[in-house]
Amino acid sequence: MSRMKAVQVSKPGGNFELVERPVPEPGRSQVRIKVEACGICHSDALVKEGLWPGLQYPRVPGHEIAGRIDAVGPDVTKWKPGQRVGVGWHGGHCFQCEPCRRGDFVLCQFGKITGITFDGGYADYVVVPAEAVAAMPDDLPADLAAPLLCAGITVYNSLRNAGARAGDLVAIQGIGGLGHLGIQYARQMGFRTVAIGRGGDKAALARKLGAHDYIDTSAAAPADALQKLGGARLVLATAPDAKSISALVDGLAPNGKLLVVGAAFEPLAVTPIQLLSQRRTVQGWPSGSAMDSEDTLHFSALSGVRPMIERYPLEKAADAYQQMISSKARFRVVLTMGG
Ligand SMILES: [Zn+2]
Ligand SMILES: [Zn+2]
């Protein structure tokens, strides 16, 4: 039986361990992917630190997987060995529950999560349910595609479904792993794009990514600055800081929407008056299905949206994770599998 390298966590709070394992075989309706690159996401801390209830160890993390179909199990008709594909956070669904019967697979009551319910992409090979697989365009290199499968899809899919129209003022809060992609997508979708960050030093980068305007929260109250520009139809909150997010509500235009994708645990502070007087809304958004991933990859290839990444070999997963978790990375960290 052939063997592969994988990086696993064997208990909550445990270290990353480089191990040899048998190459897994795809079962019914599953495919095996030869992993070429896997992004490291902040949510991998859920595996590392044991923050996901019921998670079974040892577990191989990783839900930003880019590679090629290597083998397919029985009943798989859509995929063939050699096809370039990606897999994100949404790792499959039951097809039977009420959200699934309505076609809303992301909200499946029995949904699987890549790298949490089953082993993920910190490995040479991964086996995933066929319905979790997205086709990847040929002109997108694997290391640049990987972060689009969680960070990318989350901002792309939330932005395109939030009701803003071409020319509307859309503000992106935070210029990090999610935000640096959000600015690019907002610009490429035809919105008047405003980046919101702390400090004047980020202005040049924000404009390079496509922002028409930059608001420095250390220089002025961001809500006032947004109102000076006419008010935001949409604020995409990407930095997980409840206080900074709450401070933007008064920057929304009439019928404006605060769209939250940065995963914070603290409550937002929003008064009913702030919402009802201007008919404002607050909405959250999870990532998306495999088809949404596929749309994200195609739009990115078409429009030139690319993540800024730092590459590490699989063997250096512990260093790579440290770079991510310390917020030093500019902006996404990607593991590459060199054979
Ligand atoms: Zn993620
Ligand atoms: Zn379901």
Side-chain angles (χ1 to χ4, degrees), residues 36-61:
E36 294 172 0
C38 183
I40 295 186
C41 179
H42 204 275
S43 303
D44 295 344
L46 300 170
V47 179
K48 174 80 167 64
E49 305 304 337
L51 303 173
W52 192 270
L55 196 148
Q56 305 277 308
Y57 291 89
R59 180 60 75 223
V60 176

Side-chain angles (χ1 to χ4, degrees), residues 221-297:
D224 294 345
L226 282 173
Q227 288 300 346
K228 268 191 199 139
L229 295 171
R233 177 67 184 78
L234 187 67
V235 170
L236 181 71
T238 74
D241 176 356
K243 212 172 155 192
S244 313
I245 296 172
S246 303
L248 298 172
V249 174
D250 284 331
L252 292 170
N255 297 308
K257 180 184 282 186
L258 174 64
L259 180 59
V260 183
V261 293
F265 289 98
E266 291 73 38
L268 294 174
V270 184
T271 68
I273 300 292
Q274 280 178 296
L275 297 180
L276 65 89
S277 61
Q278 297 295 313
R279 213 185 292 126
R280 292 160 170 154
T281 54
V282 179
Q283 184 180 19
W285 196 274
S287 54
S289 68
M291 269 317 303
D292 296 318
S293 286
E294 204 164 304
D295 291 345
T296 304
L297 295 173

Side-chain angles (χ1 to χ4, degrees), residues 74-155:
D75 293 345
V76 174
T77 52
K78 163 76 183 159
W79 306 105
K80 292 185 176 40
Q83 280 180 297
R84 301 186 79 231
V85 294
V87 182
W89 173 263
H90 181 73
H93 41 268
C94 78
F95 296 95
Q96 311 274 348
C97 71
E98 184 177 327
C100 279
R101 290 172 63 210
R102 293 186 191 282
D104 199 354
F105 301 125
V106 172
L107 300 188
C108 174
Q109 291 160 2
F110 309 98
K112 295 177 186 140
I113 301 171
T114 310
I116 287 185
T117 319
F118 54 86
D119 284 332
Y122 289 20
D124 290 328
Y125 294 87
V126 65
V127 166
V128 305
E131 77 270 15
V133 175
M136 187 160 76
D138 283 340
D139 49 352
L140 214 48
D143 53 358
L144 292 175
L148 301 177
L149 290 150
C150 181
I153 182 184
T154 298
V155 288

Side-chain angles (χ1 to χ4, degrees), residues 37-42 44 62-65 122 142-148 151 176-178 180-181 307-314 316-337:
C38 183
I40 295 186
C41 179
H42 204 275
D44 295 344
H63 58 266
E64 292 187 342
I65 302 169
Y122 289 20
D143 53 358
L144 292 175
L148 301 177
L178 293 172
H180 89 291
L181 290 166
M308 293 166 67
I309 64 170
E310 297 179 9
R311 296 172 188 79
Y312 286 77
L314 175 64
K316 299 265 186 212
D319 296 343
Y321 178 86
Q322 195 51 40
Q323 179 75 353
M324 181 283 301
I325 206 77
S326 65
S327 300
K328 285 192 200 129
R330 290 287 173 272
F331 284 100
R332 297 295 284 191
V333 177
V334 177
L335 298 174
T336 54
M337 289 64 184

